[in-house]
């Protein structure tokens, strides 16, 4: 018990929590945007891999770090456009299209990595983002600018969704596309825009791993974080503020799990601690399921004039 | 642009669509081969040769196809009823573990009994273990409306960690020099080789028979009818008196059992013990195979052999011309997307507006 208090009293624990939360915040906001427009995007896991790889490769080739982030966003947008073409344009199954994109984006990234570095065993490194030591705020000062961006995006996305005509259009096509079309909103254009914007955030989520949390690209580095974001959006009832809360809560337990594992006197196998985040995700899904208010048109393809 | 439903789709179009889609994928992927600085023609020739060019190539391809056909069937059964089971990977490992738990070496984890009794027991245990992994998500979907895609995905990670813990502890092979590896199966429970001096084993007969059985269930039983009805429109099916919940539970049990058997048959036919890397994502590739086959159980056999051939051929090709083996995963994933589009175009025509 005193172990636990020691951990919680340590600033480095909270630094780790916020660091673990950052890619989840980007990714969860990305999924949220797509789903608010009525489209599930299971491409996130692969888009994060592609963002992590493309952003890192750009920086490795000599681009500034922020250009790397931009490249990751553009990579995300490209895959988002493909997902939009398949699910909005052709009204194919959103589940299957998303999984296909995850497989394709992951395979392309790994292939690209191996073609670029055929005989390399230790991954080449870059100089990642530095912590914002100029910022006189305890935990936040130890983070990199991408974390600040993630935190700033939460109110920004909320403002766009609830206070702008674009946000209203996005929510309308996610709830009732027929009615939206009747109001002169183009369902196809709005959904495509939301998917592309959301996928850009997913790409940035991936680039945080290679450009900020680590300084190299590894196989399996995304390791299910994308799927966690899909669960977090349900937990957050599709609200940006709650998405932030969910990401922080999840990261809290993940960081705790890491510390407990390191504290040495672990009585349980370490794998049980690693399971904790996934078990919590499922528990969270079950707990909020009854109250969850899905966007009414989620996963329902819309074809003009068809019912 | 808008889509207009075609009045009829010719049988030829249905067969040609996937073939055309795969050809299109290979043409696009040629750019990636050029990026790696290899000659396209030779690379593809080597890929084909490595997968299908000799008796040895065929035996390796068929060996690889066995788990893929089974996970492909698992996905087919579930997707047909719109139960999106993405958890075949975890179900496969659960089945493999159950197989070793029942049929492991004496003094290790297994039981002591005649193989005539133990072998069926092992298979039933594996099927049950896989089925149980999917039962929870199916019930959560039905009772609480929790999306099964997310739950089955998350359970994959949990199962892999559980396998890792068990291979470090209770099920660890003490003679494995510290490697996380389970005890071996009793040798009289192992499946026979189908062709001498190759790795292809009688699991192939299991996979093909199960494909025929699933096809027969779809085609000739009430359950098959119910599955198709629930998949087409659950609400209408319920209105028409189809027992939706029961059907989804049956589908979950059947789908999970098939993936669990994939694990047991891998252990009994190929590895003889469980390791953390016994499946390079067979559960996920199974989804692609099911879609390539258009959710047709017999098509799964062909799709499974095709994908296995690409994966096996890529190994040979990579050694010869140095194109990374990940090209196979790119081809498989891109084929999935291309086949989806091609199949849609057999049902709809695109009209400009």
């Amino acid at each position: 018990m005193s172990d636990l208090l020691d951990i919680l009293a340590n600033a480095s624990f909270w630094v780790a929590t916020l660091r673990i939360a950052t890619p989840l915040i980007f990714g969860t906001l990305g999924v949220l945007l797509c789903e608010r427009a009525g489209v599930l995007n299971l491409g996130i896991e692969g888009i994060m891999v592609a963002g992590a790889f493309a952003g890192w490769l750009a920086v490795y080739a000599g681009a500034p770090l922020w250009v790397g982030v931009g490249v990751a966003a553009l990579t995300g947008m490209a895959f988002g456009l493909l997902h939009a073409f398949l699910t909005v344009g052709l009204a194919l199954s959103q589940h299957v299209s998303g999984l296909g994109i995850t497989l394709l984006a992951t395979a392309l990234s790994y292939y690209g990595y191996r073609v670029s570095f055929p005989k390399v065993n230790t991954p080449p490194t870059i100089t990642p983002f530095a912590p914002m030591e100029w910022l006189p705020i305890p935990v936040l000062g130890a983070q990199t600018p991408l974390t600040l961006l993630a935190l700033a995006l939460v109110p920004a996305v909320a403002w766009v969704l609830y206070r702008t005509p674009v946000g209203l259009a996005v929510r309308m096509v996610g709830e009732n596309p027929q009615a939206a079309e009747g109001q002169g909103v183009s369902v196809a254009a709005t959904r495509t825009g939301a998917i592309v914007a959301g996928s850009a955030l997913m790409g940035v989520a991936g680039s945080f791993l290679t450009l900020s949390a680590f300084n190299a690209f590894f196989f399996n580095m995304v390791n299910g974080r994308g799927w966690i974001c899909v669960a977090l959006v349900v937990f957050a009832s599709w609200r940006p503020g709650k998405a932030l809360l969910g990401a922080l809560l999840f990261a809290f337990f993940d960081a705790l799990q890491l510390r407990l594992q390191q504290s040495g006197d672990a009585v349980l196998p370490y794998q049980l601690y690693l399971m904790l985040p996934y078990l919590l995700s499922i528990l969270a899904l079950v707990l909020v399921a009854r109250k969850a208010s899905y966007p009414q048109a989620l996963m329902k393809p819309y074809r003009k004039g068809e019912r | 642009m808008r889509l207009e439903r075609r009045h009829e789709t010719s049988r030829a179009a249905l067969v040609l669509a996937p073939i055309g889609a795969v050809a299109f994928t290979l043409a696009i992927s040629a750019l990636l081969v050029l990026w790696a600085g290899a000659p396209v023609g030779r690379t593809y020739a080597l890929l084909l040769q490595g997968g299908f060019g000799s008796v040895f190539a065929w035996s390796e391809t068929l060996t690889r196809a066995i788990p893929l056909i089974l996970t492909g069937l698992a996905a087919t059964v579930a997707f047909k009823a719109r139960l999106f089971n993405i958890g075949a990977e975890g179900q496969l490992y659960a089945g493999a573990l159950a197989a070793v738990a029942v049929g492991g070496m004496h003094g290790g984890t297994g039981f002591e009994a005649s193989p005539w009794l133990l072998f069926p027991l092992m298979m039933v245990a594996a099927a049950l273990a896989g089925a149980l992994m999917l039962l929870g998500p199916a019930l959560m979907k039905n009772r609480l409306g929790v999306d099964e895609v997310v739950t089955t995905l998350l359970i994959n990670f949990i199962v892999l960690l559980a396998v890792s813990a068990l291979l470090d502890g209770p099920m660890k092979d003490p003679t494995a020099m510290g490697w996380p590896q389970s005890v071996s199966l009793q040798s009289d429970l192992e499946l026979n080789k189908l062709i001498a001096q190759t790795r292809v084993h009688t699991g192939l007969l299991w996979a093909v028979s199960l494909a025929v059985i699933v096809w027969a269930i779809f085609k000739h039983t009430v359950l098959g009818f119910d599955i198709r009805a629930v998949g087409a429109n659950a609400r209408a099916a319920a209105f028409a008196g189809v027992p939706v919940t029961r059907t989804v539970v049956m589908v979950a049990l059947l789908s999970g059992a098939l993936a669990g058997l994939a694990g047991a048959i891998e252990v009994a036919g190929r590895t003889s013990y469980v390791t953390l890397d016994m499946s390079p994502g067979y559960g996920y590739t199974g989804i692609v195979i099911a879609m390539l086959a258009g959710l047709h159980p017999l098509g799964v056999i062909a799709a499974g052999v095709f994908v296995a051939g690409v994966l096996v051929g890529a190994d040979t090709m990579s050694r010869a011309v140095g194109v990374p083996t990940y090209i196979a995963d790119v081809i498989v994933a891109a084929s999935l997307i291309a086949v989806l589009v091609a199949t849609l175009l057999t049902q709809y025509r695109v009209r400009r507006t």
Side-chain angles (χ1 to χ4, degrees):
Chain A
M1 197 61 214
S2 68
D3 267 8
L4 192 64
L5 289 178
D6 281 350
I7 291 172
L8 296 184
N10 200 329
S12 76
F13 169 75
W14 298 101
V15 171
T17 299
L18 197 52
R19 186 176 56 235
I20 295 170
T22 303
L24 300 178
I25 298 170
F26 280 119
T28 307
L29 288 176
V31 175
L32 190 144
L33 272 179
C34 298
E35 294 198 358
R36 270 300 176 114
V39 182
L40 179 73
N41 191 349
L42 294 180
I44 178 170
E45 182 78 10
I47 293 175
M48 281 179 72
V49 177
F53 173 65
W56 172 83
L57 192 67
V59 174
Y60 183 81
L65 283 165
W66 283 108
V67 173
V69 175
V71 168
L74 283 174
T75 308
M77 290 166 92
F79 284 108
L81 210 55
L82 178 62
H83 189 55
F85 169 68
L86 296 172
T87 59
V88 180
L90 301 180
L92 286 170
S93 158
Q94 298 179 2
H95 279 121
V96 177
S97 164
L99 289 168
I101 285 172
T102 281
L103 293 174
L104 181 66
T106 308
L108 276 174
S109 305
Y110 290 178
Y111 182 80
Y113 180 76
R114 268 287 162 246
V115 170
S116 313
F117 306 94
K119 295 268 186 290
V120 176
N121 282 326
T122 41
T125 56
I126 53 147
T127 312
F129 278 106
M132 300 178 289
E133 272 151 2
W134 44 269
L135 203 68
I137 306 172
V139 171
L140 199 57
Q143 307 293 337
T144 64
L146 277 178
T147 301
L148 204 60
L149 178 66
L151 293 174
L153 271 170
V154 175
V157 168
W159 182 77
V160 169
L161 270 180
Y162 296 111
R163 294 276 185 275
T164 65
V166 174
L168 179 65
V170 168
R171 286 184 292 134
M172 269 176 89
V173 300
E175 292 292 338
N176 191 338
Q178 278 85 7
E181 197 82 52
Q183 295 287 318
V185 173
S186 162
V187 175
T190 311
R191 284 191 168 174
T192 302
I195 297 168
V196 169
S199 302
L201 292 183
M202 296 171 190
V204 174
S207 74
F208 174 84
L209 297 174
T210 46
L211 301 183
S212 188
F214 302 95
N215 57 3
F217 178 80
F218 306 101
F219 292 104
N220 293 324
M221 84 183 306
V222 173
N223 197 18
R225 285 186 178 85
W227 311 131
I228 300 286
C229 293
V230 178
L232 280 175
V233 172
V234 183
F235 172 78
S237 315
W238 293 269
R239 292 181 175 276
K242 284 189 178 173
L244 172 65
L245 188 75
L248 287 172
L249 199 67
F250 187 90
F252 170 85
F253 282 109
D254 207 9
L256 191 64
Q257 162 275 115
L258 273 171
R259 296 301 149 109
L260 287 174
Q261 205 179 302
Q262 285 162 359
S263 68
D265 46 15
V267 276
L268 295 168
Y270 74 91
Q271 291 95 344
L272 290 182
Y273 294 110
L274 288 173
M275 270 182 214
L276 217 57
Y278 302 107
L279 289 169
L280 280 170
S281 290
I282 293 178
L283 190 70
L285 286 174
V286 170
L287 287 180
V288 299
R290 282 182 192 284
K291 293 181 294 179
S293 45
Y294 284 79
Q296 287 301 303
L298 183 62
M299 289 185 259
K300 293 196 182 105
Y302 175 76
R303 287 198 185 103
K304 227 186 231 181
E306 260 185 44
R307 291 198 150 246
Chain B
M1 177 183 109
R2 65 182 289 167
L3 297 165
E4 198 173 89
R5 194 170 259 286
R6 288 177 198 269
H7 293 297
E8 55 192 314
T9 304
S10 71
R11 209 156 248 274
L14 279 176
V15 175
L16 285 176
I19 295 172
V22 171
F24 174 77
T25 305
L26 289 175
I28 295 275
S29 307
L31 294 174
L32 294 173
V33 175
L34 287 175
W35 180 24
V40 175
R42 193 167 127 73
T43 302
Y44 279 158
L46 282 166
L47 193 95
L48 208 65
Q49 215 181 335
F52 306 103
S54 63
V55 175
F56 175 74
W58 268 102
S59 74
E60 283 295 295
T61 295
L62 291 176
T63 308
R64 190 79 73 98
I66 294 165
L68 290 176
I69 291 171
L70 289 166
T71 53
L73 286 174
T76 299
V77 170
F79 280 38
K80 202 86 173 180
R82 283 188 187 275
L83 177 74
F84 289 96
N85 172 19
I86 321 295
E89 187 76 2
Q91 292 146 21
L92 182 149
Y93 275 99
L97 269 190
V100 173
V102 170
M105 288 290 214
H106 305 305
T109 55
F111 298 100
E112 220 162 316
S114 144
W116 291 101
L117 181 67
L118 218 44
F119 186 83
L121 206 62
M122 171 178 85
M123 289 301 187
V124 169
L128 267 178
L132 284 178
M133 290 292 120
L134 189 52
L135 194 59
L139 288 176
M140 280 192 269
K141 173 198 168 91
N142 246 313
R143 297 276 158 81
L144 304 166
V146 181
D147 188 41
E148 75 279 16
V149 171
V150 185
T151 48
T152 51
L153 266 170
L154 294 173
I155 288 175
N156 284 340
F157 290 91
I158 295 172
V159 173
L160 256 303
L161 286 165
V163 173
S164 163
L166 287 169
L167 295 190
D168 272 351
M171 294 186 78
K172 188 188 176 91
D173 181 356
T175 63
M177 319 270 265
W179 288 106
Q181 174 181 313
S182 80
V183 292
S184 294
L185 216 57
Q186 295 171 27
S187 57
D188 44 13
L189 294 178
E190 282 173 16
L191 293 167
N192 292 324
K193 296 283 172 258
L194 211 53
I195 308 171
Q197 264 122 48
T198 67
R199 298 198 300 166
V200 63
H201 52 86
T202 50
L204 186 65
L205 305 178
W206 279 76
V208 171
S209 322
L210 283 165
V212 174
I213 290 171
V214 170
W215 173 78
I217 289 176
F218 278 176
K219 190 99 181 174
H220 295 297
T221 66
V222 177
L223 177 64
F225 173 81
D226 289 350
I227 290 173
R228 275 179 285 138
V230 170
N233 187 337
R235 208 179 292 173
F239 189 70
V242 172
V244 174
T245 307
R246 201 174 71 196
T247 306
V248 172
V249 167
M250 286 301 288
V251 162
L253 293 176
L254 191 56
S255 171
L258 285 163
L261 282 175
I265 288 174
E266 272 297 277
V267 169
R270 199 172 63 85
T271 62
S272 94
Y273 47 76
V274 182
T275 55
L276 273 173
D277 57 359
M278 68 174 283
S279 160
Y282 290 139
Y284 303 104
T285 313
I287 296 164
V288 179
I289 287 164
M291 300 312 297
L292 289 180
L295 300 187
H296 193 295
L298 300 181
V300 166
I301 300 173
V305 171
F306 163 71
V307 170
V310 172
L311 294 173
V312 169
D315 288 341
T316 321
M317 176 277 297
S318 181
R319 274 193 295 273
V321 287
V323 175
T325 50
Y326 291 104
I327 190 86
D329 298 319
V330 177
I331 291 173
V332 168
S335 300
L336 164 68
I337 293 173
V339 167
L340 284 177
V341 173
T343 313
L344 182 96
L345 293 179
T346 61
Q347 291 157 357
Y348 289 84
R349 59 167 60 92
V350 179
R351 278 280 157 83
R352 280 163 179 257
T353 45

